[in-house]
Amino acid sequence: MLSKKMQKALCDQVTAEHYSAYLYLGMSAYFNSIDLPGFANWMYIQAQEELVHGIAIYHQIHERNGEVTLNTIEAPPKKWKSPVDVFENTCSHEQKVTASINNLVNLAIEEKDHATNNFLQWYVKEQVEEEATAYAILQKLKMMKDAPGGIFMMDKELGARVFTMPSIMAASAD
Ligand code: FEO
């Protein structure tokens, strides 16, 4: 059984993951608007992954006989200055997500809720990857600043990304 405090924090994370999806969907729209379909594809897949992150928590709350309360999802920024600006914001957003996952783990430990702590470890690991991937793309973009052809090569590379169901979904759908 989830404590009320833990339940509320997990519900807030469901909303936060959906905001991430919305943020990345907005970034995907931006890349489409500047004719970078590969970048748009990468962000679109990122948005899909975030939805799954949120839905997996939703399932977990039910699995623990909890009640889900959904909150308002705020609108993401509508304008971006450049691809670098987008990925700088992606990096800082993922750092914020990491902090909120860490806070959830801290709460689970405080509440002696080992099941939630165990569940959240998937997210702890995932955040390492999320931060590293966004940072690697940002660094590449910064290096390409003076090579106009570079961004188009990168667009091709990011266009090859395909969606694969995050493993947390398989675990939470059991
Ligand atoms: Fe659900 Fe990008 O972290």
Side-chain angles (χ1 to χ4, degrees), residues 17 50 53 94 97 127 130:
E17 298 288 349
E50 299 297 354
H53 295 171
E94 286 302 331
V97 176
Q127 280 313 118
E130 295 268 282

Side-chain angles (χ1 to χ4, degrees), residues 10-120:
L10 288 171
C11 288
D12 289 347
Q13 193 63 31
V14 173
T15 305
E17 298 288 349
H18 280 76
Y19 174 75
S20 296
Y22 223 33
L23 175 67
Y24 296 140
L25 195 60
M27 289 171 169
S28 179
Y30 162 74
F31 282 123
N32 270 315
S33 77
I34 59 166
D35 297 321
L36 288 173
F39 279 86
N41 170 67
W42 193 93
M43 280 298 177
Y44 179 68
I45 288 168
Q46 193 63 23
Q48 287 176 276
E49 283 198 1
E50 299 297 354
L51 286 177
V52 175
H53 295 171
I55 293 293
I57 300 170
Y58 164 91
H59 283 302
Q60 177 70 5
I61 296 168
H62 283 143
E63 183 84 3
R64 302 286 311 285
N65 290 320
E67 223 173 274
V68 171
T69 308
L70 298 175
N71 305 313
T72 304
I73 304 167
E74 67 174 278
K78 289 179 179 59
K79 288 198 189 329
W80 302 101
K81 284 186 236 139
S82 63
V84 167
D85 181 36
V86 169
F87 275 91
E88 272 170 348
N89 276 277
T90 301
C91 285
S92 60
H93 180 70
E94 286 302 331
Q95 284 164 10
K96 277 187 216 148
V97 176
T98 299
S100 87
I101 296 292
N102 287 344
N103 285 337
L104 283 171
V105 172
N106 290 343
L107 181 61
I109 291 168
E110 205 179 286
E111 304 259 321
K112 298 187 174 53
D113 184 345
H114 299 289
T116 298
N117 185 6
N118 186 47
F119 169 78
L120 288 169

